[in-house]
Amino acid sequence: MHSIVRNFITTAALVVALLSFPPPHLCAESTRVLKGVVLDGDNLPLAGAGVFNNANRQAVVTDADGAFSIRVSASSPVTLTFSFIGMEEQKVVVAPKDNDIRVVMKLDNQLEGSIIVGAYGTRQRREDLTGSAFQVNSDVLKDRPKGRVDNLLQGLVPGLAIEPNTDVAGSTRTRFQIRVRGDGSLSASNEPMWIIDGVPVYTGGTTNQMPGMSYTVSPLSYLDPDDIESITVLKDADQVTIYGANGSNGVILVTTKSGGKGQPTSVYASVRYGVSTPDYSTMFRTMNAQQYMVVAKEAWQNAGYSLNAFPLQDNDYNSYSTTSTDWAKVFLGTGNEFNARVGIRGGSKDISNDVSMSYYKNEGIVQSDRQQRFEVHSKQDFSLWKGADLTLNMRGSFNINDIFPLGKSYVYTLPVYEPYLLDGYSFRLYNKLWDSTAGDDATGGWVMRKFWANELPTRELNINTQRSVVSVANLTFNWIIGWGFSVRSLFGVNYQHSHEDRYDSRYTLDGLDSDNKPSGYSSRADASYLSWNNSNILNFDNSFGKFKFGLYGGLELHHQGNKTQSVSGSGFTNDRIQEIAYATYVSQYSTSNSTESRSMSYFGRMSLSYDSRYYMSLNARRDGNSSFGRYSRWQTYWSAGASWNIHREKFWNIDRIKMLKLKASYGTAGNAKVDASSAYGTYAYSSSYSYRGAMGAVVSAVPNPGLSWESKHIFNSGVRVEIDRIADVELEFYHNRTDDLISKMYVSRTITENSVYGNFGSLEDRGVEMSLTSYNISHKNFRWRTNFNIAHNKNKILKMYNGASRSFGNTIWKEGYDSGTFYLVRWAGVDPSDGMPMWYDLNGNITKTYSTDNRVVNKDKNSSPVCLGGLTNTFSMGNWQLSFQINYTIGGYALAGYALNYMKDGYAITDENQAVELYYYRWTTPGQQSAFPKVSQTSTKSAMSSTRFLYDKTSFTLSNVALSYNFPHKLLDKARLKGLSISLVGDNLYLFTPDQKKGFNSYKTMKYGYPVARTFTLSADISF
Amino acid sequence: MRKIFIYLFAAFVLSACDFLNVNNIGKSTIDNYFSEVDALPPAMNGIYNAAWSFYDTYFALYCESASDEVSFADNSSPWFRFHTFETTSADESTAVGYIWKYGYNVINNCNEVLYYAPILLKENPGDASSIRDMIGQAYFMRAMVHFDLCRVYGQNYSYKPDASHQGIAVADHIQSLTEKISRSSVRKVYAQVVSDLETSLEYFTAAPNDCYIANSLAAKALLARVYLYMGDNSKAVSYAGEVISARGLTPREKYASMYTSAGVAGEEAIFRLHGFGQSGAQRKYYYYESPVARPSAKLTSLFTDADDVRTDLFSYEKGGKSYPNVVMKYYCTDEDAADEQKFASPFLLRVSEQYLIRAEAACRLSDTSQAEKDLKALKARARGVSADAVSISWTGTDGLLSLIEEERMRELCFEGHRFFDLARWHKDVSNDEVNFTYPDYRYVLQIPYVELDANENIKNNPTSNQELE
């Protein structure tokens, strides 16, 4: 956008914001006292309900009999607002004559989401829904951690699986991978699309990596979750086809809160403070110093070496026998989290406003790793003329991330090393070891080895900071023209600019040059990501008798572009001046890159219903994307859905069952998240192809102008039953198939030595989801509600290019199998007679030779869980509420990285510490039955990949416990507050796996790269 | 106010027409890459880099492992199976698959240059001289790799009287993904090779002084070799003669250093691949401390002259330790050089071979005096005496040919010649592990299964002697 236009809009918004808050009403009208009574759905008196008079701003509460009296105008009608927690707010217009009014309050269906946000700003009543959409509202999100938006949904949405991208320590801002109903593609991205207030947000590349930055910080951590009104996940063709090529992995719509027109002005604020501690029972256990020395020396001797040659012998630089370091405690500790937010909301007849600011700070359990976020959000809604309004929604945040990417060293560094020199405070960069092949006559000598594993100097002296400015803004125009026609136009922008500063100090190993002299290394990187989006929709809604007809059509334009650049240099005279301009000239290195892609689409939806009983909807979309070759740039998607509200039929006479709905939909969607250059062919220019020291360039990808989209066929069917005040159950069955999978395959080598991207193969996901809400106890004073969801997905590769399987070492893609199927040698245990490892060969016979030829496709062992989901229980008593949530995964296997790397039975044990089981369970004497082989410094191949390291992923997490108290209206009135609630929340309190063993390792200690952070937060929400 | 919004709306819709034509500036799509003349030198460097992978890592080691010039010290090496001739199509991830893969990689890169360079030549007449030379180099490299691939996967030229047996697939243009070319006859392959070399001679503009890139002298030298393999002896003699008159032999005192000193080209070098920055596979294979293979007894017994300079390259002394019976042709022994300056640059074409080509071709034409002169010249250089001081004796053309065979072994050992010589002469293979007689299916490698899977038009070589045609 031009800066002029931007400035104009900003100024206009500010002016309007200032003018829109209505002045207090100072009027001396004649008044009277109005009396009345408030009842609940069972016609019982409702005590403590709030009654508010807009005109004179008086507020009272009902007494124990539900009765109230309030001063109102004697001459003109007045609107009273009745409110109570858990009930729908009601507005009643009272005429001057009325007295002794009776108000009946209804249970608030809003909590169960009876209005669901749909595509392109539409709102759908749950009763009218033909597709699969699941909504989570702000009351559920209220007590969740505020760091990032993506993991808020864990365990809440059936079919949505959220997992960290890796189980290896290395980034404190782990990328999360989100899957809606399984993996739909093998090489294109499987991540759903995120849309915030109608603006698609750039969340990174195909695996959510942010180009240009050395460490990825997800943009979903740049949005304050407190601002969210609801998150809706769209899952089936009826809901996602309208998004065409971007919709195949599901669409997540985030809607933020907004003020209402004609609402009284209110100010709201919230403060949260939390403390987090590492849950050491989830940390991988390695040996302590004493255990380590015993096992290491035994492994050394078992390999045939003499103890005289053992490297870890005491000397003047290192005292191994007296050192015992707990490396986890060096790097992990208590963290804290603070979030404060203040906002003002209100409006007049024509303008509504919502302006808020927030500050968030998190110091994680990994010490010196810090996140800070300043966010400002402003939303204005203007009524332009009758039926037309313009909304300006701007959000900006400034984020500072001080990153310390603690690696696995906190697990594997030898406990006999310590982080400091013998003086106790200088950082240790070297260790002195005995090397029996060193020295002039190769009989042995002392060597100084670089202590790379010591990350303490890195933490204390190096700098790694990312600053990002993010803005998500949109301008929306809505106009209800009349005769059923309306128009909606949205222009949205998502702009992020990140700047990364890294500096390796001269006094750390990274900052030494190739002659081991202090040099210092500095790098600066800049990346800017701009995406803008414009959609224009014409809508027609009308009813003819019992028929309701709706039709809309639109055009959407989208642009996504990134520009990155970085520069680095080394050779600094001191650590104070870190800018590249002061680096030694010879070492300066710089690079830049940019990408751009655009898409254009036409779409439409038609829905027809009869008597709120029979529903039908049709969607269509035609997408063009610049990433694909000229010949296959456009693709069309369509879907059809239908549903039947049986409860509205005349023959239905079970009153208890308030809703019984059957629905089904079928349609297509596409996936455009692939490497954009695949269609054109590329030449790679790099020093890897150099000749005589000069740069070379070679063909790296052959063009495939026929490269086209993947196409996904989505079938969904479901039933929803709502039994009045007992339970709501929704059961869905789906079957998705992706064809024309973009995958690499080999063509004749006479064409290219590399594999080529083409459209081959197909893949399917089928599954069942159920979500259940049961109102176990619904009494006036005590309520207990349970939310439970469970999902089962079965993934299968249907066709591969030429029927060939593709193996990736430990996993394999094979027709007829899950895409995460393991391909491993089968482990046969340890031979009790000599402690050597054993495996099964292809015929099932025991062999002591390890060979990858013996790998077997483990049909039942794949990485997909059997089922997953969450269970939440909410108890409310009076003004107190207690809820706790358990997330669970059952089934599925993981080739645990920690097990693969640190259960090596003594192999190279003088370099890295190993699992504590070795001390207790290693084989030592002939005839001993043992799960762990004889330890040896040299390899017995026992650490090679095999089924030995497959772990069942079944786990249960007590992920959130929240106790909150809402102050009653009586107390609030005294303090002139509209609302005050205090909560005490615990997150990630306990992780349970069936194989867990106190003091030893199990999947519980290998699930995550870092120990789980248990957090306790105290928060207060106030509104004036 | 309504009108403003309607106009804005319309404006958005109308501007959408040209929206999807995104100019991908800065992306290295192939068209984009070759839009300027400056793209050509790195593309040529890429070709030589790809040729390094082809020659140093796989081609030469295959030829040597299969021959009787080596005896293996490390039987667990993957090359041992080539010594025992046990490889099949399934050995995709060894020389069986990689000679094919990396060979066609060089050819494909040459084809890209040959497609775009003429366009650039028309657009940049001022750079005509350097562009033409690069086009010549690309033709040369394409010819050379086709010739070598054909020697590996196709039986020798005279296997059938009109060379109609299967050769390799001739890739003389950039192919589309759906094209599935098939194997041409050896006759056609050689015709393509000769044609490409003659075309390259028309394009070369530079004087052939830089032996690390293809040049006109290299084209002539390769033509001599190709004609020898084809049995066209008079053309072989004529081209070899041209090369020998243009360039002399490296004198005895400088002989060893042209191998063991990095950056020393040697007077007789015609075409070498420069080793700077490349990872040396032959260097590792013959590494004196723990070689995979050593010179065989059959080879070392051929060196009857004590002052034959070539025996200097069969042993090494360092730090008081001596390493006898190793191959030192691929190791830089410069003591003071930095690590990255210690590289070896394999010879692909040198003048000594031209003498041997001329000797053999002349002998087959019954010109024994020319053959004798050339043989004597090489022996004289090896011993450091004048040609008159050398005396050789033989009986009949066969006797002379076997003298030539022995001299070839002495001179060109470990440079990727022996196994193909045996095939060309229809001689039996007899190394320290296996023996078999000509003809046999094992004179050629089988086509890797990845290629057979991807392209049904390519037929495999016979997998047993029963299938031999």
Side-chain angles (χ1 to χ4, degrees):
Chain A
M1 276 160 75
H2 277 296
S3 56
I4 302 168
V5 176
R6 195 169 4 122
N7 285 336
F8 166 76
I9 290 183
T10 317
T11 325
L14 280 170
V15 167
V16 158
L18 287 170
L19 291 178
S20 64
F21 294 107
H25 195 88
L26 300 168
C27 219
E29 266 198 4
S30 57
T31 61
R32 64 181 174 100
V33 172
L34 170 74
K35 284 199 182 24
V37 73
V38 180
L39 307 168
D40 70 7
D42 299 314
N43 281 338
L44 296 169
L46 193 61
V51 187
F52 180 71
N53 181 347
N54 289 25
N56 64 7
R57 300 193 113 57
Q58 196 191 15
V60 297
V61 288
T62 57
D63 60 16
D65 296 324
F68 68 91
S69 52
I70 190 169
R71 194 155 284 280
V72 296
S73 161
S75 46
S76 44
V78 69
T79 310
L80 294 177
T81 309
F82 294 85
S83 59
F84 186 80
I85 298 283
M87 305 274 189
E88 257 179 25
E89 204 176 70
Q90 276 200 43
K91 286 194 185 2
V92 177
V93 177
V94 179
K97 308 194 306 293
D98 291 341
N99 211 338
D100 276 327
I101 56 171
R102 203 179 126 92
V103 178
V104 178
M105 304 284 284
K106 286 192 294 210
L107 270 177
D108 189 353
N109 279 337
Q110 198 80 0
L111 284 173
E112 278 77 68
S114 70
I115 306 281
I116 299 198
V117 174
Y120 292 107
T122 53
R123 292 201 164 234
Q124 326 171 74
R125 280 182 32 201
R126 167 158 268 165
E127 227 198 340
D128 299 337
L129 204 56
T130 49
S132 174
F134 192 90
Q135 181 156 308
V136 174
N137 289 319
S138 59
D139 56 323
V140 176
L141 301 172
K142 180 169 86 79
D143 292 318
R144 267 140 212 286
K146 304 296 165 194
R148 49 199 295 172
V149 174
D150 43 2
N151 61 1
L152 287 179
L153 298 173
Q154 203 156 28
L156 296 176
V157 180
L160 187 77
I162 303 181
E163 277 182 354
N165 221 321
T166 170
D167 65 351
V168 169
S171 169
T172 44
R173 305 274 181 282
T174 335
R175 284 173 271 145
F176 278 90
Q177 62 176 36
I178 298 181
R179 296 286 176 269
V180 177
R181 295 186 168 174
D183 276 349
S185 170
L186 294 177
S187 49
S189 169
N190 283 310
E191 299 290 327
M193 177 159 97
W194 285 81
I195 299 183
I196 298 182
D197 284 339
V199 182
V201 169
Y202 182 64
T203 54
T206 51
T207 55
N208 284 346
Q209 195 160 22
M210 294 302 278
M213 297 282 113
S214 316
Y215 294 91
T216 290
V217 179
S218 169
L220 294 172
S221 70
Y222 295 151
L223 170 69
D224 185 351
D226 251 346
D227 212 10
I228 295 178
E229 171 69 54
S230 67
I231 302 184
T232 313
V233 181
L234 305 178
K235 297 187 263 180
D236 78 330
D238 179 69
Q239 298 291 304
V240 307
T241 294
I242 198 80
Y243 284 106
N246 300 309
S248 68
N249 296 323
V251 178
I252 303 183
L253 301 173
V254 177
T255 312
T256 55
K257 296 181 180 155
S258 51
K261 295 205 184 87
Q263 292 269 25
T265 306
S266 65
V267 176
Y268 55 92
S270 66
V271 178
R272 281 172 229 294
Y273 183 75
V275 169
S276 54
T277 56
D279 179 358
Y280 288 110
S281 71
T282 61
M283 188 175 78
F284 190 79
R285 293 191 184 291
T286 48
M287 297 183 273
N288 66 29
Q290 175 258 330
Q291 296 166 336
Y292 170 78
M293 282 306 244
V294 166
V295 174
K297 285 184 176 156
E298 182 178 315
W300 185 259
Q301 292 177 294
N302 282 345
Y305 302 124
S306 128
L307 263 188
N308 293 335
F310 190 63
L312 303 165
Q313 299 179 37
D314 287 351
N315 55 65
D316 56 343
Y317 202 73
N318 283 73
S319 172
Y320 299 109
S321 56
T322 59
T323 310
S324 174
T325 311
D326 184 349
W327 284 96
K329 295 271 169 29
V330 173
F331 292 110
L332 304 173
T334 319
N336 59 62
E337 192 181 73
F338 174 73
N339 189 23
R341 185 185 180 82
V342 67
I344 180 165
R345 187 182 287 151
S348 67
K349 184 167 70 83
D350 289 331
I351 297 176
S352 89
N353 263 301
D354 193 334
V355 178
S356 65
M357 290 189 311
S358 73
Y359 172 69
Y360 172 78
K361 181 168 100 140
N362 181 24
E363 294 186 355
I365 54 165
V366 173
Q367 304 290 284
S368 291
D369 189 86
R370 218 173 284 122
Q371 176 188 0
Q372 285 184 86
R373 177 178 68 216
F374 302 86
E375 189 185 71
V376 171
H377 185 199
S378 166
K379 201 168 183 180
Q380 272 86 37
D381 205 324
F382 308 92
S383 291
L384 297 171
W385 60 82
K386 179 164 179 287
D389 47 81
L390 183 71
T391 307
L392 177 62
N393 184 353
M394 291 190 297
R395 168 200 314 282
S397 73
F398 178 62
N399 301 272
I400 306 176
N401 278 286
D402 289 311
I403 300 173
F404 172 53
L406 176 66
K408 302 191 290 268
S409 67
Y410 77 96
V411 164
Y412 72 67
T413 312
L414 300 186
V416 295
Y417 288 149
E418 59 159 355
Y420 301 103
L421 294 179
L422 290 175
D423 62 18
Y425 60 81
S426 313
F427 293 122
R428 178 176 284 276
L429 299 180
Y430 293 90
N431 289 308
K432 196 163 180 179
L433 298 145
W434 180 259
D435 183 348
S436 56
T437 61
D440 294 326
D441 48 357
T443 51
W446 295 103
V447 290
M448 296 291 270
R449 283 248 165 88
K450 286 188 177 174
F451 192 13
W452 288 106
N454 184 8
E455 294 193 60
L456 190 64
T458 309
R459 184 180 86 189
E460 300 298 316
L461 300 175
N462 289 355
I463 293 183
N464 187 342
T465 306
Q466 256 188 58
R467 289 185 173 77
S468 300
V469 172
V470 184
S471 79
V472 179
N474 70 57
L475 187 62
T476 312
F477 172 63
N478 276 306
W479 180 19
I480 302 172
I481 303 173
W483 306 288
F485 283 97
S486 59
V487 151
R488 181 186 152 93
S489 182
L490 177 147
F491 182 80
V493 172
N494 170 221
Y495 179 72
Q496 174 177 335
H497 181 202
S498 299
H499 179 84
E500 181 184 64
D501 284 325
R502 285 178 46 218
Y503 182 73
D504 293 334
S505 157
R506 289 157 45 88
Y507 303 106
T508 59
L509 291 173
D510 290 311
L512 299 178
D513 64 13
S514 51
D515 293 325
N516 288 340
K517 298 208 187 42
S519 161
Y521 173 82
S522 170
S523 114
R524 269 95 177 88
D526 248 282
S528 57
Y529 317 101
L530 171 68
S531 69
W532 62 256
N533 193 56
N534 170 242
S535 60
N536 306 293
I537 300 172
L538 178 65
N539 206 333
F540 176 71
D541 272 307
N542 221 328
S543 38
F544 311 98
K546 286 196 179 165
F547 281 97
K548 265 211 205 121
F549 177 73
L551 174 69
Y552 73 77
L555 164 72
E556 182 170 16
L557 304 171
H558 180 83
H559 164 105
Q560 169 72 44
N562 304 337
K563 275 186 165 30
T564 62
Q565 60 228 42
S566 73
V567 62
S568 65
S570 62
F572 294 88
T573 48
N574 59 52
D575 272 348
R576 284 196 299 275
I577 306 173
Q578 301 169 3
E579 297 299 334
I580 312 292
Y582 304 99
T584 313
Y585 177 78
V586 158
S587 66
Q588 287 170 5
Y589 171 79
S590 57
T591 179
S592 79
N593 205 346
S594 72
T595 61
E596 195 182 315
S597 77
R598 284 183 169 173
S599 73
M600 183 158 111
S601 334
Y602 304 95
F603 55 89
R605 180 185 172 93
M606 183 187 86
S607 52
L608 186 62
S609 72
Y610 176 71
D611 196 24
S612 294
R613 274 186 283 157
Y614 311 110
Y615 294 85
M616 186 195 75
S617 65
L618 290 171
N619 298 294
R621 179 163 169 130
R622 188 164 166 76
D623 267 331
N625 190 311
S626 65
S627 300
F628 288 105
R630 272 177 291 268
Y631 307 111
S632 52
R633 192 164 265 173
W634 291 87
Q635 185 81 321
T636 308
Y637 306 101
W638 61 270
S639 77
S643 69
W644 178 21
N645 279 344
I646 301 178
H647 62 281
R648 285 205 175 273
E649 290 289 353
K650 288 199 177 57
F651 62 75
W652 187 259
N653 51 14
I654 306 177
D655 276 339
R656 217 73 228 261
I657 299 187
K658 278 185 346 197
M659 185 192 288
L660 176 61
K661 170 200 269 283
L662 293 175
K663 62 185 179 189
S665 70
Y666 180 76
T668 62
N671 193 334
K673 288 202 183 86
V674 290
D675 179 5
S677 58
S678 317
Y680 292 105
T682 50
Y683 237 73
Y685 176 78
S686 142
S687 55
S688 324
Y689 312 113
S690 70
Y691 186 65
R692 291 198 282 183
M695 297 280 270
V698 294
V699 176
S700 84
V702 166
N704 184 1
L707 186 71
S708 178
W709 317 72
E710 294 188 342
S711 62
K712 190 163 174 175
H713 297 262
I714 304 174
F715 170 73
N716 184 66
S717 62
V719 59
R720 182 178 176 83
V721 184
E722 284 184 21
I723 307 173
D724 190 24
R725 284 178 291 174
I726 292 183
D728 298 333
V729 182
E730 184 150 12
L731 187 66
E732 286 189 14
F733 164 74
Y734 62 89
H735 184 171
N736 300 339
R737 197 183 81 228
T738 313
D739 291 318
D740 294 329
L741 283 179
I742 294 183
S743 44
K744 282 189 153 190
M745 32 68 71
Y746 291 109
V747 291
S748 170
R749 284 273 170 64
T750 58
I751 299 174
T752 171
E753 67 150 346
N754 296 312
S755 39
V756 169
Y757 276 118
N759 296 92
F760 316 97
S762 65
L763 172 63
E764 79 172 5
D765 281 290
R766 315 156 76 146
V768 185
E769 288 168 4
M770 183 184 82
S771 82
L772 161 72
T773 306
S774 76
Y775 306 94
N776 305 317
I777 300 177
S778 301
H779 190 259
K780 183 169 69 166
N781 294 324
F782 181 70
R783 284 212 289 271
W784 173 23
R785 184 181 83 232
T786 303
N787 285 320
F788 174 70
N789 65 72
I790 185 166
H792 162 77
N793 183 55
K794 198 165 155 71
N795 173 290
K796 189 158 77 164
I797 297 180
L798 296 174
K799 225 173 15 146
M800 297 271 300
Y801 180 66
N802 263 356
S805 312
R806 263 188 87 191
S807 125
F808 298 92
N810 298 323
T811 54
I812 189 170
W813 288 346
K814 194 175 160 73
E815 282 185 1
Y817 290 80
D818 184 294
S819 56
T821 302
F822 288 105
Y823 185 47
L824 297 165
V825 179
R826 290 168 295 179
W827 173 251
V830 176
D831 185 345
S833 62
D834 59 4
M836 295 303 276
M838 301 186 294
W839 300 271
Y840 292 107
D841 67 10
L842 282 176
N843 302 320
N845 301 320
I846 295 210
T847 169
K848 285 208 173 153
T849 321
Y850 179 83
S851 164
T852 51
D853 291 341
N854 290 332
R855 282 181 301 177
V856 159
V857 178
N858 304 90
K859 185 173 172 70
D860 301 316
K861 296 210 158 120
N862 56 59
S863 53
S864 301
V866 170
C867 62
L868 52 84
L871 169 72
T872 312
N873 278 301
T874 314
F875 304 92
S876 12
M877 181 155 79
N879 293 327
W880 291 90
Q881 181 171 302
L882 171 69
S883 74
F884 66 88
Q885 179 180 347
I886 296 175
N887 295 335
Y888 65 91
T889 299
I890 296 179
Y893 289 87
L895 195 63
Y898 276 110
L900 264 179
N901 290 319
Y902 305 115
M903 284 187 172
K904 291 203 289 207
D905 309 308
Y907 174 42
I909 195 170
T910 49
D911 290 333
E912 291 181 348
N913 197 357
Q914 295 181 13
V916 71
E917 277 84 353
L918 293 187
Y919 180 73
Y920 293 102
Y921 298 132
R922 70 193 184 285
W923 182 96
T924 45
T925 49
Q928 177 187 357
Q929 293 278 12
S930 171
F932 288 83
K934 177 166 125 173
V935 294
S936 166
Q937 168 79 5
T938 50
S939 171
T940 55
K941 298 275 201 315
S942 62
M944 301 293 279
S945 294
S946 68
T947 55
R948 177 183 180 196
F949 303 112
L950 275 186
Y951 284 84
D952 190 319
K953 292 204 292 195
T954 304
S955 66
F956 297 84
T957 310
L958 180 61
S959 65
N960 184 283
V961 175
L963 175 67
S964 56
Y965 178 70
N966 290 297
F967 281 79
H969 284 255
K970 282 205 189 82
L971 284 171
L972 292 177
D973 288 343
K974 292 213 178 86
R976 292 183 187 274
L977 295 174
K978 263 184 81 183
L980 172 64
S981 71
I982 296 190
S983 313
L984 179 64
V985 179
D987 284 301
N988 295 323
L989 295 176
Y990 189 65
L991 167 62
F992 171 78
T993 59
D995 61 348
Q996 67 183 36
K997 226 175 349 177
K998 197 171 154 81
F1000 289 97
N1001 291 308
S1002 59
Y1003 187 63
K1004 177 169 171 165
T1005 63
M1006 303 191 230
K1007 188 169 164 145
Y1008 299 111
Y1010 302 109
V1012 167
R1014 262 191 196 127
T1015 316
F1016 294 95
T1017 311
L1018 184 64
S1019 65
D1021 289 89
I1022 310 175
S1023 57
F1024 302 92
Chain B
M1 192 143 49
R2 283 173 216 226
K3 286 214 180 113
I4 300 175
F5 281 94
I6 295 175
Y7 291 148
L8 278 175
F9 191 98
F12 268 127
V13 176
L14 291 171
S15 68
C17 299
D18 207 21
F19 190 60
L20 292 179
N21 289 328
V22 162
N23 211 359
N24 273 312
I25 322 158
K27 286 228 68 157
S28 49
T29 59
I30 301 183
D31 275 346
N32 224 23
Y33 179 74
F34 280 110
S35 55
E36 294 197 345
V37 172
D38 288 336
L40 286 178
M44 293 311 300
N45 285 336
I47 290 175
Y48 292 116
N49 180 294
W52 177 277
S53 300
F54 177 69
Y55 280 105
D56 180 78
T57 322
Y58 293 104
F59 178 81
L61 285 177
Y62 158 64
C63 172
E64 292 311 314
S65 300
S67 74
D68 48 5
E69 288 182 331
V70 297
S71 89
F72 268 75
D74 178 8
N75 288 6
S76 66
S77 158
W79 289 109
F80 188 62
R81 295 178 64 235
F82 291 87
H83 198 58
T84 56
F85 293 90
E86 290 174 326
T87 58
T88 65
S89 291
D91 290 301
E92 153 68 28
S93 51
T94 64
V96 173
Y98 290 155
I99 292 181
W100 184 273
K101 172 165 127 158
Y102 288 119
Y104 278 105
N105 187 33
V106 179
I107 293 172
N108 289 329
N109 277 291
C110 291
N111 283 333
E112 294 281 346
V113 169
L114 288 172
Y115 179 83
Y116 287 100
I119 302 172
L120 288 169
L121 181 61
K122 263 207 287 271
E123 292 169 5
N124 300 277
D127 292 308
S129 164
S130 58
I131 298 180
R132 289 185 71 91
D133 195 74
M134 286 192 269
I135 294 177
Q137 292 178 46
Y139 273 111
F140 175 86
M141 292 306 292
R142 186 169 85 178
M144 182 152 200
V145 177
H146 270 106
F147 176 62
D148 287 327
L149 280 175
C150 197
R151 289 194 285 171
V152 173
Y153 294 100
Q155 295 278 4
N156 65 86
Y157 196 82
S158 53
Y159 180 78
K160 281 225 178 117
D162 52 355
S164 56
H165 48 287
Q166 279 194 101
I168 52 160
V170 171
D172 57 357
H173 61 279
I174 301 178
Q175 295 154 68
S176 75
L177 283 181
T178 47
E179 230 180 294
K180 289 186 172 178
I181 60 180
S182 52
R183 293 170 73 177
S184 305
S185 67
V186 168
R187 182 192 188 77
K188 264 184 91 175
V189 177
Y190 274 64
Q192 175 72 36
V193 169
V194 167
S195 149
D196 275 349
L197 286 172
E198 287 171 354
T199 313
S200 79
L201 281 171
E202 290 167 26
Y203 275 96
F204 280 121
T205 54
N209 295 326
D210 186 352
C211 66
Y212 294 108
I213 57 174
N215 53 68
S216 53
L217 200 61
K220 292 183 188 154
L222 186 58
L223 274 167
R225 186 197 285 177
V226 172
Y227 280 126
L228 179 70
Y229 272 72
M230 282 170 80
D232 193 336
N233 296 305
S234 50
K235 289 225 185 84
V237 166
S238 129
Y239 274 110
E242 272 192 62
V243 176
I244 291 170
S245 3
R247 196 158 287 175
L249 288 171
T250 305
R252 182 180 191 274
E253 58 273 13
K254 302 230 191 98
Y255 186 81
S257 67
M258 73 180 178
Y259 287 100
T260 59
S261 217
V264 169
E267 281 84 337
E268 69 180 64
I270 303 173
F271 182 40
R272 301 177 75 164
L273 284 177
H274 201 271
F276 177 74
Q278 313 291 353
S279 73
Q282 289 189 87
R283 181 177 195 255
K284 271 210 271 288
Y285 184 92
Y286 295 116
Y287 183 53
Y288 61 90
E289 273 195 18
S290 52
V292 172
R294 297 176 186 280
S296 66
K298 186 170 177 183
L299 176 65
T300 46
S301 65
L302 286 176
F303 290 93
T304 45
D305 260 306
D307 46 352
D308 191 329
V309 71
R310 297 172 292 202
T311 56
D312 287 355
L313 291 166
F314 287 149
S315 65
Y316 187 44
E317 272 206 24
K318 182 183 163 98
K321 278 179 88 168
S322 74
Y323 302 91
N325 206 28
V326 290
V327 176
M328 293 307 291
K329 280 190 172 178
Y330 296 100
Y331 189 79
C332 171
T333 56
D334 294 341
E335 296 281 323
D336 307 318
D339 267 348
E340 59 194 15
Q341 297 298 332
K342 292 171 83 156
F343 54 86
S345 304
F347 280 97
L348 295 184
L349 288 161
R350 61 191 177 97
V351 179
S352 303
E353 187 203 351
Q354 298 296 308
Y355 275 87
L356 289 161
I357 291 174
R358 189 164 68 176
E360 186 180 333
C363 185
R364 292 185 194 278
L365 288 173
S366 302
D367 184 0
T368 53
S369 67
Q370 176 65 56
E372 183 184 11
K373 255 208 311 225
D374 287 328
L375 261 189
K376 282 189 173 172
L378 278 184
K379 285 174 179 291
R381 187 271 303 269
R383 286 168 49 194
V385 300
S386 74
D388 315 313
V390 177
S391 66
I392 49 178
S393 61
W394 70 92
T395 42
T397 11
D398 281 344
L400 185 54
L401 282 174
S402 73
L403 282 184
I404 294 174
E405 175 188 350
E406 287 175 8
E407 201 60 37
R408 273 189 90 93
M409 279 182 84
R410 288 190 205 102
E411 184 62 49
L412 301 175
C413 56
F414 308 112
E415 292 181 30
H417 289 271
R418 176 65 180 160
F419 185 67
F420 303 122
D421 287 343
L422 287 173
R424 174 158 65 82
W425 293 325
H426 297 191
K427 286 208 153 166
D428 300 339
V429 170
S430 167
N431 65 30
D432 57 3
E433 292 289 330
V434 293
N435 304 297
F436 51 84
T437 56
Y438 185 88
D440 193 286
Y441 70 99
R442 286 168 284 190
Y443 279 91
V444 294
L445 286 180
Q446 289 174 31
I447 310 290
Y449 79 85
V450 167
E451 181 65 44
L452 297 173
D453 276 351
N455 182 352
E456 62 263 15
N457 285 345
I458 298 230
K459 305 269 174 297
N460 197 2
N461 284 326
T463 52
S464 72
N465 278 332
Q466 281 81 2
E467 294 175 31
L468 269 187
E469 292 151 23

